[in-house]
Amino acid sequence: MDEEVRQFKMNYIPGNTDSQFIFNLAESSSTDCSQDADIAFLIDTSRSLGLQAYKKELHFVERVLERYEIGTNKTKVAVITFSAGSKLEFDFNRYNRKDEVLRAIRSIPYTDGLCTTIYRALKQAREEVFVPQAGDRENFKNLAVILTDGETNPGRYDLYTLPKAKSLTRQEANDLKFHGVEVFGIGVGHRVDHVEMIGISSGARNYYRVDDIDDLEKSRLFHILLNKVCARCNNKPADIFFIVDKSSSLGSVANFDKELSFIARFVEGFNIGQGTQDVRVGVISFSTDAQLEFGLSAYGDKRSLQDALLDIKFSLGNTYTHKAFEILLNQGFSASPRPLTVPRVGVIMTDGQSTNPYKLDDVLKLVKLRGIEIFSIGFGSVDIPELNKMATVPDHTHVFVVDDIHTLDTVRDELYLEICNLIGQS
């Protein structure tokens, strides 16, 4: 659990104090959700929230659903509210039009309850929502989104001790996930038990916290949630090269391995292979010299690709970034070309400044002329103007900066979403 608690800090929304990356997903060009699903929202209506905050909760749900096509063979929606007990407001059978769903959500009353019986809402979702008789469909993805400003509290509604009630919440969450439901958690404010919410969610990466209810509207959380559940990358091809810095300034093999670990985790979200609809991945490393570690046609499955990343060796040297881009141009995409409609993407990770910026300028002009989309990730004492120069415009969707190598993972989801947006538009 300690590792999960550490990881959830990646998803802390306002300001993201663990990271200073240059990014604003709220301004990105998201398209409508193209993956249909059965989605249940579990909404806190307890007294600690307050009426005005409750209305903002409902408005947040409306905004998420505005991007979905809702209908019999499209996305279906259900809602459960909880405070003192839980209530099924409507299941997947109830509404088949978006306007009906949104109108129903707006009319859900605030109960002002004194308890927070999360375990009851989770159990009700499993027993009364994600079942065929409630309209749950076998071949559609099952998603649950739970919003709360507190923690499990049976109060006087159930005769449980607090530890027993919390144990029930964890058990019901596990049962729901075992039932095949992916759970997203959103904690609002400073009373939230983040450890409990991580346990409820399908991993730390599916849990988000915001300081204030207003951050639901102001932050990029809405876009992150929408894009994560849409998974627009599915069945869309792309060719992606990672360009990794292994110069002396990294300091150690362990730090270099963090770059490789970032890539290994990043590719989890893609269909890796050599088929016409698959994503292919290659890696170029650089220091004083640059090297094609493996090309796009080297690996036909995700596991082989991840194993190959473990075999890349660290070396000392300067930061001749331009040599890596020369390999990208001359050996990268040209070695096993696909139709020009398939996006060609380069992701460069570096902690410093190019040793020869003039040659870098020259090769970048050729890269941009070839239509290669470049994303840049910087950490440590990186040269931010140079990151901006390497990246495709606009900078706010293509440039990411973190404090150091240890916080590199904090931008993984955002990078994934931006590349998904690019692939989805191809």
Side-chain angles (χ1 to χ4, degrees):
M1 179 59 70
D2 290 343
E3 174 66 12
E4 285 189 324
V5 172
R6 184 190 66 78
Q7 287 182 4
F8 102 91
K9 293 178 181 178
M10 303 177 200
N11 298 336
Y12 177 39
I13 298 302
N16 202 329
T17 55
D18 291 322
S19 168
Q20 296 177 355
F21 55 85
I22 302 171
F23 186 78
N24 184 357
L25 187 54
E27 297 177 9
S28 69
S29 54
S30 299
T31 56
D32 287 346
C33 188
S34 60
Q35 177 159 320
D36 300 314
D38 293 334
I39 308 177
F41 289 88
L42 283 58
I43 302 174
D44 190 343
T45 64
S46 59
R47 175 167 295 182
S48 59
L49 197 64
L51 178 60
Q52 294 307 311
Y54 172 68
K55 290 179 179 179
K56 291 175 182 177
E57 267 191 327
L58 296 185
H59 186 57
F60 173 80
V61 174
E62 286 183 61
R63 289 196 63 202
V64 172
L65 292 178
E66 283 171 358
R67 306 301 291 272
Y68 284 85
E69 291 186 55
I70 293 174
T72 304
N73 297 312
K74 298 293 184 179
T75 291
K76 300 297 291 279
V77 179
V79 172
I80 292 172
T81 55
F82 63 92
S83 57
S86 66
K87 179 183 178 183
L88 176 59
E89 300 291 345
F90 55 86
D91 63 16
F92 297 128
N93 283 324
R94 184 70 177 274
Y95 301 112
N96 289 313
R97 297 204 322 263
K98 184 185 297 187
D99 62 325
E100 293 176 330
V101 171
L102 298 181
R103 189 180 308 115
I105 288 170
R106 293 185 201 110
S107 65
I108 297 174
Y110 175 53
T111 60
D112 193 26
L114 294 175
C115 312
T116 309
T117 56
I118 298 174
Y119 50 88
R120 283 184 171 269
L122 294 166
K123 182 177 182 180
Q124 191 165 33
R126 176 172 54 85
E127 294 183 347
E128 299 180 34
V129 173
F130 291 104
V131 291
Q133 56 267 35
D136 182 55
R137 298 165 295 179
E138 183 177 359
N139 296 320
F140 287 75
K141 191 171 184 178
N142 286 342
L143 306 171
V145 181
I146 179 168
L147 298 93
T148 183
D149 77 325
E151 61 180 315
T152 296
N153 173 22
R156 296 182 179 179
Y157 190 84
D158 288 314
L159 299 179
Y160 297 133
T161 63
L162 183 58
K164 173 63 176 177
K166 283 182 168 290
S167 175
L168 280 175
T169 291
R170 186 63 182 262
Q171 183 60 53
E172 290 296 345
N174 289 340
D175 289 347
L176 184 62
K177 289 178 282 190
F178 185 77
H179 195 64
V181 180
E182 183 174 6
V183 181
F184 294 84
I186 302 172
V188 180
H190 301 286
R191 290 187 294 266
V192 178
D193 183 339
H194 300 299
V195 174
E196 179 176 73
M197 287 299 292
I198 290 168
I200 291 171
S201 306
S202 296
R205 290 179 62 192
N206 275 25
Y207 173 55
Y208 298 90
R209 56 169 287 199
V210 294
D211 281 338
D212 185 83
I213 192 69
D214 289 326
D215 293 322
L216 288 176
E217 295 298 321
K218 295 176 181 177
S219 75
R220 64 187 183 277
L221 173 59
F222 156 67
H223 301 272
I224 291 174
L225 180 63
L226 175 70
N227 282 275
K228 284 196 76 171
V229 301
C230 283
R232 284 194 306 277
C233 290
N234 289 347
N235 301 316
K236 288 275 193 173
D239 287 340
I240 305 174
F241 262 102
F242 284 88
I243 306 168
V244 294
D245 189 342
K246 58 179 183 180
S247 59
S248 300
S249 57
L250 279 176
S252 68
V253 174
N255 286 342
F256 178 63
D257 286 345
K258 286 183 171 64
E259 288 185 297
L260 302 181
S261 176
F262 176 92
I263 301 171
R265 292 173 179 166
F266 179 85
V267 300
E268 281 291 341
F270 293 94
N271 295 323
I272 301 298
Q274 296 296 320
T276 57
Q277 298 302 309
D278 290 334
V279 173
R280 303 188 302 177
V281 173
V283 173
I284 298 167
S285 63
F286 68 96
S287 55
T288 299
D289 292 308
Q291 180 177 346
L292 177 63
E293 300 291 349
F294 55 82
L296 297 170
S297 60
Y299 299 102
D301 64 90
K302 193 177 300 180
R303 181 59 184 271
S304 298
L305 170 63
Q306 291 169 327
D307 288 345
L309 289 166
L310 300 177
D311 294 331
I312 299 177
K313 305 302 181 185
F314 177 56
S315 66
L316 302 174
N318 294 318
T319 310
Y320 283 94
T321 315
H322 73 276
K323 294 182 179 181
F325 280 105
E326 287 173 351
I327 289 179
L328 184 70
L329 278 174
N330 300 324
Q331 301 177 48
F333 297 107
S334 60
S336 54
R338 292 209 278 189
L340 292 178
T341 53
V342 175
R344 293 175 294 170
V345 179
V347 180
I348 180 164
M349 296 187 285
T350 183
D351 75 331
Q353 182 180 24
S354 175
T355 305
N356 193 329
Y358 302 106
K359 285 191 175 181
L360 179 61
D361 287 346
D362 292 338
V363 72
L364 284 175
K365 292 175 184 176
L366 297 175
V367 168
K368 305 296 175 65
L369 285 173
R370 295 273 184 92
I372 301 170
E373 195 94 2
I374 301 297
F375 294 84
S376 58
I377 304 173
F379 45 90
S381 57
V382 70
D383 184 335
I384 292 178
E386 187 170 87
L387 285 180
N388 293 338
K389 179 173 62 179
M390 290 188 290
T392 304
V393 294
D395 295 341
H396 73 264
T397 60
H398 289 72
V399 179
F400 304 82
V401 180
V402 295
D403 290 337
D404 54 47
I405 191 71
H406 304 292
T407 55
L408 187 58
D409 271 343
T410 62
V411 299
R412 188 172 67 244
D413 283 352
E414 285 82 3
L415 175 66
Y416 175 81
L417 297 180
E418 280 302 334
I419 293 180
C420 272
N421 282 337
L422 175 67
I423 294 173
Q425 293 165 9
S426 65

